[in-house]
Amino acid sequence: MAEMKTAAYICKGCELGSRLDVASLVKIATKEGKMAIVREHDFLCSADGVALIRNDIDNEGVTHAAICACSRRAKTEAFNFPTVAMSRGNLREGVIWIRPDTDEARETTQEMADDYVRMACAEVKAMKVPEGNQNTGTTKTLLVVGGGMSGMTAAIESAKAGYKVVLIEKTGALGGMAAKLWKRIPNREPFKAPMDNGVADLVSQIEADANIKVYLNAVIAKTSGSPGRFAVDIAVESGPVVTEDIGAIIQASGFTPYDMAKLPNLGGGQANVVDQLGLEALARAANGGPIKRADGKEVKSVVFVQCAGQRDATKEHLEYCSGHCCATSVKQAMYFKDANPDVDTVVLYTDLRMPGNNEDFYRAAQNKGVIFSKGEVSNVAASGDGCTVKFKDLILNEETSAEADLVVLATGMVPTTGPDLDALSEANRAAESGGAEAKEQVVQMMSKSVLNLDYRQGPDVPQFKHGFNDSHFICFPYETRRTAIYAAGPVRRPMDIAQATEDATGAAMKAIQAMENAGLGKAAHPRSGDLSFPSVRLEGCTQCKRCTVECPFGAIDEDEKRFPLFNESRCRRCGTCMGACPVRVISFENYSVNTVGAQIKAVDIPDEFSEKPRVLVLACENDAYPALDMAGMNRNAYDPYVRIIPVRCLGSVNTIWITDALNSGYDGVMLMGCKHGDQYQCHFVKGSELGRYRMSKVYDTLKGMGLEEDRLMDLEVAITDVDTLPQKINDYAARIVEMGMSPFKGL
Amino acid sequence: MSDMNQQMTAKYKNNFLKEIEEQAEMGDWVKMCMQCGVCSGSCPTNFHPGWDHPPQEIFMLIRAGKRDEVLNSQSMWMCTSCYNCYVRCPRKIPITHIMHGIAEYAYRIGRAPKNQPTLHLSQTFWNNCTKNGRVNEVQLTQTLYFKDGIADGIKKAMAMQAAALGLVKAGRLNPMEALGGGHKCKDIKGIHAMLAKAKELEAKRKGRTA
């Protein structure tokens, strides 16, 4: 790489020129920042301003540019110079927009701007130009695991987008659960009657598509490699193991119905009690005629019991709602009413959940004479030729009962996600020292694996609540914690066919994106397009394994010498490994312990008698930093003594930054990260949790330094905290004043 | 129990929902209720004594086949026809009309509660109004005032004295109507024929003889 040539650009637009002393900023960039070229411009993001920078890069050999203008989140299209290392000094959203335009404020505002210029210069000098991951694979074939509604849809959509698809199905035929349905819940106008399940059509589309290769009676024996170059061993029943080269994977492994044998008090196991899938079989056998029980008797009265073993507060059964069962029972009641309007059909529910257009479907069922009663079923018992259903009528508030020839239990979905990784590693530990029984348990658990990944962190994608795949259902629904492996359908959350179809389409799109990015050496969500990747100085590594254990995406394996082995294509560039590393040997070209450390050091710390404290804020770039920018846009003023540095994730915060900052005289450090736990908002899922855990250990260090605990403040920030965030900053600044200045100044 | 009641019980056996659907005005809407309870929450007579079942419960009782409980209920008679429930029902069910429909049906088959004041007023008003095609206000008021005896009637009349005199002065009340007669519509025979025809049509629609 050519020699480093630095340049700083100071914008005077957006009132920066009139609010700030630009001459001072230029002087700082030159003298303190030691930038080779320093230029000011009236309107840096204009075509003229951009041409100025471009000209310096092309003709002056500038390799490192510090652009001191607006937030790094603004004007990204204008300031797009991928061939150079670039830092951004946030003078607009970070300084003039959050400071009042008054004479009293002028001095502190200028100090803020001076520091941000110092920081931008220091940061850029510590950066390298990201070269992109060279270790890429360019396979453009998608693997779809599961041949049900979601899997078939994902395969067809991907093939339509021009990609080759390998579809594997465990059973001998495509169709999955949907193929077992007599009819499906309608997904189009007028939403009044059950529709054909649509499986035959999808199967014929797949058979006609040369881009889709189908393996039936097949499972995955092993998945190794990384996005863009997975090697997947497919074991076909009574056949050879075939290895396919795969770019990205869509897991659509579906669900099984909750076992009604676990519900004996609701009649599970009795002759005249079936689950919803059982009724579908009876309806298929009736083929549109009157539905008959297993014993051949025509059903004249039927009771549907909703939430059977679901939404169970006792946690003995499923705790969650499976979403589709209300509409499914409505559909099944219609099977009876459409064949014979005189059949008594009663649906006993506690809350009828009919999202979207299903409301029309519900109304159609009422019109057809299906009776809906709000009631909680306590017992189903055989009586005479049928069943007695005991329930509490929740409207009339009384215990009552109903007689029926047949009872249908809505039992809900259990996802097919493979073994829980935490439980598996527990079992593995037990097996290492334990006997045959413990080893057998591991074998048992591994036999349930869907993907059989050879990742250090386990054979399947991690699970979240209730055994469903981890995915953020609002912000990034298809993402799992394994890069380029996407979950679609009921394996991700309970859903019906319409939702699964949509889900599969979305997951296919994400998988294609991830595969293409992997081929270009770029990161996937949320740092989509990022060319940097972690590099490790192995000679400094102590083999502590923290990076391999903490990586939220299982990107780091171990080599034969037990050193961390980075799989760059699996990496999402969150920097959790960098934050975790106690010897600080992990870094990214444009983000490292040094790039942040240099900024911390660059800030001018006034002496202890100045009454000007300095507070370092390390703000998550996904939520906290945009919230701070928006506070600026709203002109919500906050304390001028804070110096904000964006970090990729709280997980990337290395404790050295905190101790260095406090040692060099900062009066406080504020961490701003996303919510963690069950309702997490962290874009890297586990990053903020791991970061916070790490920071909880810093308090001992503080004590050792003789500092108050409040010198370090951990704040949970969501992107919606725009209006409250400035107040929280001010509160903390006030607390700092209360505690007094740091004794470490000028040491 | 009246003959009519026994006839209906025999006809619909235990299917009270079907009975209401066919016999009560707008009764075919009962099955469309989704039990949200907005009607009950909106009813201004809610929580008053005598209001034994809110509309939501009436609907549920019908579906649960609780015939006696519905037909003996005071609820339908307590309806003030404010139409709050009708306006607010998310399913656009004409709840006010159904309440009246059930009340009317209960009366028709002789199941209305004894001495129900709303029923008494309705009956009195109907008889008064259909006789001449116009309401004889003085006689209507007399009937209502003296329904619980002479002493009570005089007491009520004295209390309303000022209002009555004001109405007379303004020409809105003709004291001579107390003697009978009063103002009539132009074609009494026509009105009577119309009412008879309406009754016949309704009976035909509901599958019974007039």
Side-chain angles (χ1 to χ4, degrees):
Chain A
M1 196 181 144
E3 209 165 287
M4 182 198 293
K5 180 156 186 185
T6 56
Y9 300 90
I10 294 160
C11 180
K12 295 195 283 187
C14 298
E15 291 190 331
L16 284 168
S18 59
R19 293 279 307 271
L20 299 171
D21 177 359
V22 174
S24 154
L25 300 179
V26 169
K27 198 172 144 196
I28 284 169
T30 318
K31 294 268 155 89
E32 297 181 36
K34 299 200 166 45
M35 295 282 117
I37 299 173
V38 180
R39 298 191 201 281
E40 50 189 273
H41 194 277
D42 285 333
F43 187 2
L44 197 58
C45 60
S46 66
D48 184 51
V50 172
L52 173 85
I53 304 172
R54 169 65 48 211
N55 182 53
D56 282 352
I57 294 171
D58 292 343
N59 301 320
E60 301 284 334
V62 166
T63 58
H64 287 64
I67 293 172
C68 304
C70 41
S71 163
R72 59 160 63 187
R73 299 180 53 81
K75 303 288 171 197
T76 48
E77 277 163 29
F79 301 133
N80 178 23
F81 308 108
T83 56
V84 301
M86 183 172 76
S87 68
R88 299 277 299 265
N90 187 357
L91 303 182
R92 191 178 68 171
E93 289 87 342
V95 183
I96 64 164
W97 280 1
I98 53 100
R99 297 302 304 148
D101 187 8
T102 58
D103 286 340
E104 307 86 76
R106 199 170 302 279
E107 184 190 331
T108 49
T109 305
Q110 181 66 32
E111 284 173 5
M112 238 183 158
D114 289 350
D115 272 346
Y116 279 124
V117 171
R118 287 185 188 105
M119 289 155 76
C121 295
E123 183 188 10
V124 80
K125 284 191 288 183
M127 286 166 93
K128 291 193 196 97
V129 187
E131 288 179 45
N133 169 23
Q134 306 299 314
N135 212 357
T136 58
T138 50
T139 306
K140 295 288 154 66
T141 306
L142 275 161
L143 172 71
V144 177
V145 186
M149 215 57 181
S150 325
M152 290 196 293
T153 307
I156 291 168
E157 293 294 334
S158 309
K160 273 189 196 160
Y163 291 85
K164 287 200 180 308
V165 179
V166 172
L167 175 62
I168 71 162
E169 164 59 36
K170 188 168 58 178
T171 68
L174 293 174
M177 286 291 176
K180 296 181 182 169
L181 306 184
W182 165 235
K183 289 193 170 166
R184 61 171 284 185
I185 299 158
N187 68 337
R188 58 176 65 107
E189 277 289 321
F191 303 100
K192 280 189 177 156
M195 303 190 337
D196 181 79
N197 66 23
V199 169
D201 175 46
L202 291 185
V203 171
S204 66
Q205 281 186 53
I206 286 177
E207 280 167 354
D209 199 322
N211 276 331
I212 305 176
K213 195 199 262 182
V214 180
Y215 289 94
L216 295 176
N217 295 313
V219 293
I220 297 180
K222 187 180 163 193
T223 304
S224 54
S226 301
R229 50 190 179 98
F230 287 114
V232 180
D233 295 349
I234 300 166
V236 184
E237 196 178 270
S238 64
V241 172
V242 189
T243 303
E244 290 277 0
D245 291 327
I246 297 296
I249 300 171
I250 296 167
Q251 182 177 344
S253 45
F255 72 102
T256 50
Y258 187 68
D259 185 4
M260 66 170 173
K262 292 178 185 167
L263 304 164
N265 60 333
L266 293 183
Q270 286 175 32
N272 299 323
V273 179
V274 293
D275 62 6
Q276 289 185 323
L277 215 51
L279 186 80
E280 293 292 341
L282 296 181
R284 288 180 75 82
N287 199 19
I291 293 173
K292 291 178 182 137
R293 289 194 317 215
D295 63 6
K297 182 181 185 281
E298 190 180 323
V299 177
K300 291 285 188 192
S301 57
V302 57
V303 169
F304 294 87
V305 178
Q306 297 309 107
C307 302
Q310 298 191 68
R311 302 172 67 205
D312 181 13
T314 67
K315 304 193 176 188
E316 191 186 339
H317 304 293
L318 304 181
E319 287 173 64
Y320 51 88
C321 163
S322 290
H324 77 96
C325 343
C326 286
T328 299
S329 286
V330 166
K331 174 191 76 173
Q332 295 182 337
M334 280 193 193
Y335 292 170
F336 289 98
K337 283 287 183 191
D338 289 347
N340 176 7
D342 288 336
V343 175
D344 279 335
T345 51
V346 177
V347 179
L348 295 176
Y349 67 95
T350 51
D351 303 286
L352 208 70
R353 294 180 173 176
M354 305 292 278
N357 290 307
N358 282 346
E359 190 64 30
D360 287 344
F361 193 43
Y362 174 23
R363 218 173 314 211
Q366 287 180 307
N367 256 324
K368 287 179 183 179
V370 179
I371 300 290
F372 292 85
S373 279
K374 201 172 163 77
E376 216 172 276
V377 179
S378 55
N379 184 265
V380 177
S383 78
D385 188 32
C387 303
T388 302
V389 182
K390 280 195 183 143
F391 66 100
K392 181 178 183 186
D393 188 312
L394 295 173
I395 300 291
L396 305 177
N397 196 23
E398 62 182 18
E399 295 294 337
T400 178
S401 67
E403 303 292 322
D405 292 341
L406 185 71
V407 171
V408 183
L409 303 180
T411 52
M413 294 173 149
V414 178
T416 312
T417 31
D420 176 56
L421 299 188
D422 294 334
L424 181 65
S425 69
E426 197 72 15
N428 266 322
R429 255 196 297 279
E432 264 172 40
S433 52
E437 200 177 313
K439 287 189 178 103
E440 174 56 31
Q441 203 202 342
V442 172
V443 173
Q444 185 63 33
M445 287 176 98
M446 286 300 289
S447 74
K448 289 187 188 145
S449 175
V450 179
L451 298 174
N452 272 306
L453 293 163
D454 70 347
Y455 288 22
R456 184 185 186 275
Q457 289 187 7
D460 283 279
V461 295
Q463 298 170 9
F464 190 41
K465 276 188 204 164
H466 314 310
F468 288 92
N469 274 350
D470 194 351
S471 77
H472 197 285
F473 81 108
I474 296 173
C475 298
F476 25 93
Y478 315 114
E479 297 290 344
T480 69
R481 275 200 273 143
R482 295 294 176 257
T483 305
I485 302 177
Y486 292 87
V491 74
R492 186 170 82 66
R493 66 168 179 79
M495 60 177 75
D496 64 13
I497 291 180
Q499 290 169 320
T501 307
E502 201 173 274
D503 221 50
T505 312
M509 194 189 76
K510 293 298 294 180
I512 289 169
Q513 196 183 27
M515 194 161 65
E516 290 291 350
N517 268 337
L520 297 169
K522 292 177 175 176
H525 164 94
R527 293 189 57 82
S528 188
D530 186 1
L531 283 165
S532 71
F533 59 89
S535 61
V536 55
R537 254 188 331 109
L538 282 184
E539 57 274 25
C541 175
T542 58
Q543 300 193 332
C544 75
K545 316 249 179 287
R546 279 195 209 164
C547 54
T548 55
V549 171
E550 288 197 11
C551 175
F553 303 100
I556 313 174
D557 289 335
E558 246 171 60
D559 67 11
E560 355 17 301
K561 291 180 190 155
R562 313 204 73 185
F563 280 113
L565 181 67
F566 283 76
N567 291 277
E568 291 84 0
S569 314
R570 294 187 206 159
C571 172
R572 304 278 184 97
R573 282 75 164 168
C574 60
T576 297
C577 49
M578 177 177 122
C581 184
V583 287
R584 298 180 291 285
V585 293
I586 302 171
S587 61
F588 296 78
E589 289 138 316
N590 53 3
Y591 183 61
S592 65
V593 172
N594 276 344
T595 59
V596 176
Q599 293 180 71
I600 294 173
K601 286 195 192 83
V603 171
D604 180 51
I605 309 278
D607 66 34
E608 137 175 49
F609 311 105
S610 65
E611 291 180 3
K612 285 177 180 167
R614 288 290 178 260
V615 176
L616 174 67
V617 178
L618 296 170
C620 162
E621 67 176 10
N622 294 299
D623 267 31
Y625 202 68
L628 287 163
D629 275 358
M630 281 191 278
M633 290 172 205
N634 295 345
R635 306 297 195 275
N636 291 340
Y638 56 79
D639 193 88
Y641 301 125
V642 296
R643 299 293 179 261
I644 300 166
I645 300 177
V647 293
R648 289 188 179 179
C649 176
L650 211 54
S652 73
V653 173
N654 197 299
T655 51
I656 192 75
W657 295 338
I658 318 279
T659 45
D660 274 3
L662 293 172
N663 264 323
S664 57
Y666 281 88
D667 301 280
V669 177
M670 223 179 168
L671 301 170
M672 293 184 183
C674 304
K675 185 184 250 186
H676 68 276
D678 272 1
Q679 305 290 325
Y680 72 85
Q681 290 176 356
C682 177
H683 288 55
F684 298 104
V685 189
K686 289 280 165 198
S688 65
E689 187 176 327
L690 292 163
R692 289 211 164 89
Y693 179 73
R694 209 179 294 143
M695 291 314 135
S696 68
K697 308 284 179 203
V698 178
Y699 289 105
D700 287 340
T701 316
L702 293 185
K703 221 180 271 170
M705 292 165 77
L707 287 175
E708 298 86 346
E709 274 200 359
D710 282 2
R711 296 278 175 196
L712 176 61
M713 161 92 170
D714 172 17
L715 193 62
E716 195 175 274
V717 178
I719 198 152
T720 45
D721 292 343
V722 178
D723 293 327
T724 53
L725 197 46
Q727 188 55 47
K728 285 176 182 165
I729 292 175
N730 294 342
D731 290 348
Y732 185 59
R735 174 74 190 114
I736 294 287
V737 170
E738 215 174 279
M739 280 188 290
M741 302 292 257
S742 161
F744 283 87
K745 282 182 200 288
L747 290 182
Chain B
M1 294 278 164
S2 69
D3 291 349
M4 195 63 169
N5 185 37
Q6 277 158 12
Q7 269 175 38
M8 287 302 171
T9 315
K11 182 174 176 188
Y12 292 104
K13 297 193 186 76
N14 289 321
N15 199 338
F16 186 46
L17 174 61
K18 196 168 176 202
E19 182 177 345
I20 289 293
E21 281 179 349
E22 289 182 6
Q23 294 298 329
E25 198 72 36
M26 305 252 180
D28 53 340
W29 277 92
V30 170
K31 62 175 181 282
M32 298 308 289
C33 168
M34 63 176 188
Q35 294 297 334
C36 67
V38 164
C39 49
S40 307
S42 308
C43 185
T45 60
N46 198 351
F47 310 120
H48 282 246
W51 201 70
D52 41 11
H53 298 293
Q56 179 193 15
E57 268 179 37
I58 290 283
F59 284 32
M60 199 63 231
L61 287 165
I62 294 170
R63 291 199 231 166
K66 310 225 166 183
R67 191 171 188 272
D68 290 341
E69 212 161 335
V70 173
L71 295 179
N72 292 345
S73 170
Q74 292 278 345
S75 299
M76 305 82 78
W77 301 102
M78 300 300 285
C79 172
T80 62
S81 309
C82 74
Y83 283 83
N84 241 351
C85 52
Y86 192 160
V87 169
R88 291 184 180 173
C89 175
R91 278 295 179 79
K92 298 188 165 58
I93 299 173
I95 301 167
T96 315
H97 295 177
I98 298 171
M99 295 303 269
H100 295 171
I102 300 168
E104 186 272 338
Y105 178 60
Y107 164 73
R108 178 150 43 88
I109 61 171
R111 291 297 305 268
K114 298 275 175 292
N115 303 322
Q116 219 298 327
T118 318
L119 173 57
H120 180 258
L121 169 67
S122 305
Q123 192 63 66
T124 311
F125 185 89
W126 178 258
N127 291 343
N128 181 306
C129 168
T130 52
K131 192 173 160 201
N132 288 332
R134 285 200 176 180
V135 177
N136 181 329
E137 280 106 350
V138 179
Q139 280 192 344
L140 179 66
T141 319
Q142 272 174 357
T143 322
L144 291 174
Y145 279 13
F146 292 94
K147 128 178 130 64
D148 298 324
I150 290 181
D152 195 51
I154 290 173
K155 219 163 129 190
K156 281 181 189 152
M158 294 306 282
M160 294 298 288
Q161 201 179 15
L165 285 173
L167 284 168
V168 172
K169 270 186 199 159
R172 311 298 301 174
L173 192 72
N174 180 5
M176 299 312 285
E177 283 191 350
L179 306 172
H183 54 314
K184 297 173 180 173
C185 73
K186 281 177 191 158
D187 181 11
I188 298 176
K189 269 190 182 166
I191 288 277
H192 286 161
M194 224 146 74
L195 290 169
K197 186 71 186 170
K199 203 171 177 186
E200 184 194 322
L201 286 173
E202 192 189 357
K204 200 172 158 192
R205 183 153 54 86
K206 291 175 182 171
R208 58 182 152 80
T209 46

